[in-house]
Structures are given as structure tokens and as C-alpha cells.
Amino acid sequence: MSSQSNTAHRHAASAVHEPSFPWKQVIGYVLSLLLTGATLWCGFGHGLHGGVLQTTMMVLGMLQVLVQLLLFMHLSEGGTTSHIWMILLGFFFTFVVVAASIWIMTFGYQVQ
């Protein structure tokens, strides 16, 4: 009986503290679309070339990562140790994929 009342109390407490509409996710979604559109505009619609284009796209990509981490992956809410380790593992995999791609493109290895 007491476990049912505790569960009901927790549901009532969580309903009070949670917003009724997920504004955070909507804002994150809109920011993601804007950043993706800006990246496409830089790549296809604008006359940026060379280092300026690469730097602009890299900055937009980093902003996209920040939006994803803060608004969708709840980085700002803190978490358990395993949550932080999983995020660090994600950064490691991202670094390896980017570094390997740059290395392959630099030395011109091709599949024949």
C-alpha cells in the first residue's frame, strides 16, 4: 500500500516539475535546422573558398555539437560517471573518424 502511495506521489511530483510542452527540444530542433541550413548555404550557395570555408563550416559544426550535447543529451544536467564516460567515448570515436579521414585524404590512398 505504501509503495503505491509513494509511486503516486512521485508521479504527481514529477508532473508538477516537468513543463507541459517540450520547449527545450523544439528550440534544439530549430537551432539544428538553422545550423544545418547555414552550413549548406556556405557550402553550396556562397562564394567562400579554401580556409575561410573550412573554418566557417568547422565553427558551425562545433555549434551543432554543442546544441546536441546541451539540449538533447542533457550534458548540462550532470549525470552519473558512466554518462560522462560515454560522452568522452563518443568524442574519442569522432576524433578517430575525423583524423583517419584526413589522413586518408592527405596521402591519397584509394580503393582500387
Side-chain angles (χ1 to χ4, degrees), residues 1 7 9 14 37-38 55 57 61 74 76 80 84 91 110:
M1 178 73 174
T7 304
H9 179 70
S14 66
T55 303
M57 292 179 93
H74 310 285
S76 62
T80 62
I84 294 169
F91 278 120
Q110 297 176 353

Side-chain angles (χ1 to χ4, degrees), residues 23-103:
W23 287 108
K24 191 174 176 181
Q25 284 76 20
V26 170
I27 291 170
Y29 180 69
V30 170
L31 283 175
S32 296
L33 288 177
L34 289 174
L35 288 169
T36 302
T39 304
L40 285 172
W41 180 76
C42 286
F44 293 121
H46 198 269
L48 297 176
H49 297 286
V52 175
L53 177 63
Q54 292 173 349
T55 303
T56 304
M57 292 179 93
M58 191 175 298
V59 168
L60 290 170
M62 284 191 253
L63 288 174
Q64 183 81 269
V65 168
L66 284 176
V67 166
Q68 298 295 321
L69 286 174
L70 293 176
L71 296 177
F72 294 115
M73 296 183 73
H74 310 285
L75 187 65
S76 62
E77 296 175 2
T80 62
T81 306
S82 63
H83 182 80
I84 294 169
W85 280 109
M86 291 298 123
I87 291 173
L88 290 175
L89 187 64
F91 278 120
F92 174 73
F93 285 141
T94 302
F95 173 75
V96 168
V97 167
V98 169
S101 298
I102 290 172
W103 182 71

Side-chain angles (χ1 to χ4, degrees), residues 14-25:
S14 66
V16 170
H17 295 294
E18 291 183 13
S20 60
F21 190 78
W23 287 108
K24 191 174 176 181
Q25 284 76 20

Side-chain angles (χ1 to χ4, degrees), residues 98-112:
V98 169
S101 298
I102 290 172
W103 182 71
I104 289 170
M105 288 186 290
T106 301
F107 294 108
Y109 289 103
Q110 297 176 353
V111 177
Q112 296 180 14

